[in-house]
Amino acid sequence: MASSANSKSVKGSLLSPEAMGGLWGGGGYDTERDYILGRLHKWLSDPAFSAIQLEGFTEVELAFTEDAARRLQYIQIKDHLVDLNEGRAILIEFYNRQSSSGPQYEKYILACGGLIGKMASLQEAVNRYRSADLYSRDEKAPTLKDINKLLKASKVGIPAEFLVGKVYFDIDGEWLKSEDLRLGLFKVNFAELPNFRLSRSNFYNRGAAGATICRTQP
């Protein structure tokens, strides 16, 4: 696994809302770090997982490599409930990234403490569409049409095909909102992860001490 910090230049003020992102929720740096710790065991358990890149204060890019093919996932992390106003901006940003000439992602993930209002309704609609595995594309077409209507009513300028095909919500909110739960989950998950171990138990000290993750012999 490779890890590197983002080296791209930052335009504008670092104090602007665009630059601060989820930091407005308080403790944004810690939230990004703890979210990564809380999900790292899941990524490491995938043999194709090859890299993690921090793409800003609250953004993470994952890379998976298998048979010379590289798959990318893009994650935005918020340590609070996301309403329609904030969610709309995030979904449109996802779509603009996909429509640009930049990297193409197989998944766009919004990780947050939960969704409220029409954002929760959008997630429920997506879940119902994806859960209809036994239905053909034609049979699901009316549902897709209704999702487009919901997006239009919510003034979210993206097509339903993009929402159901590319966007995912990681809203296991209780652990994301609680520092103690995040850290406890990290320890428990790594204890159950084969072929890896933590070399230090005092990983959470805010000083120089930290964790070294080692791959053990299979």
Side-chain angles (χ1 to χ4, degrees):
M1 180 186 72
S3 176
S4 57
N6 181 33
S7 60
K8 293 184 291 186
S9 61
V10 177
K11 297 180 181 180
S13 171
L14 292 174
L15 300 182
S16 67
E18 292 81 4
M20 295 292 284
L23 296 180
W24 290 114
Y29 289 113
D30 289 344
T31 299
E32 180 187 62
R33 177 205 60 197
D34 291 344
Y35 175 80
I36 292 171
L37 292 179
R39 288 292 183 252
L40 191 58
H41 74 287
K42 178 181 178 182
W43 303 331
L44 288 174
S45 66
D46 186 338
F49 177 58
S50 57
I52 179 171
Q53 173 91 10
L54 306 186
E55 292 288 334
F57 294 132
T58 58
E59 302 163 14
V60 176
E61 181 182 283
L62 305 178
F64 299 83
T65 305
E66 192 170 11
D67 297 329
R70 194 163 185 257
R71 299 178 285 109
L72 299 176
Q73 298 181 8
Y74 176 80
I75 307 172
Q76 277 211 24
I77 306 166
K78 307 295 180 182
D79 65 348
H80 51 265
L81 297 172
V82 173
D83 62 12
L84 179 60
N85 286 334
E86 185 176 17
R88 179 190 296 116
I90 293 170
L91 294 177
I92 291 173
E93 180 187 346
F94 286 170
Y95 183 65
N96 288 341
R97 280 179 174 267
Q98 187 69 17
S99 304
S100 72
S101 59
Q104 295 297 295
Y105 299 94
E106 67 167 359
K107 288 184 180 180
Y108 293 85
I109 302 169
L110 170 57
C112 63
L115 302 171
I116 54 177
K118 289 188 176 180
M119 279 300 295
S121 298
L122 282 172
Q123 186 211 14
E124 182 180 0
V126 169
N127 288 345
R128 289 184 63 83
Y129 182 89
R130 288 178 179 156
S131 67
D133 295 333
L134 300 179
Y135 291 79
S136 69
R137 184 179 182 87
D138 288 342
E139 289 173 323
K140 292 195 290 185
T143 304
L144 198 65
K145 186 176 181 180
D146 282 343
I147 294 175
N148 264 318
K149 289 180 180 178
L150 183 58
L151 286 167
K152 185 176 181 180
S154 303
K155 298 182 179 179
V156 181
I158 66 173
E161 291 83 356
F162 173 77
L163 182 65
V164 301
K166 293 281 189 177
V167 178
Y168 293 79
F169 302 97
D170 187 354
I171 57 169
D172 190 3
E174 290 308 312
W175 74 267
L176 188 57
K177 290 185 288 186
S178 168
E179 185 174 279
D180 290 338
L181 286 177
R182 291 195 296 260
L183 299 173
L185 185 66
F186 175 72
K187 290 182 178 179
V188 169
N189 286 335
F190 260 92
E192 298 176 353
L193 186 65
N195 303 329
F196 292 93
R197 66 178 177 82
L198 289 173
S199 66
R200 295 181 182 177
S201 60
N202 60 336
F203 69 93
Y204 190 59
N205 288 355
R206 293 181 181 271
T212 300
I213 299 169
C214 304
R215 182 186 294 272
T216 59
Q217 292 298 322

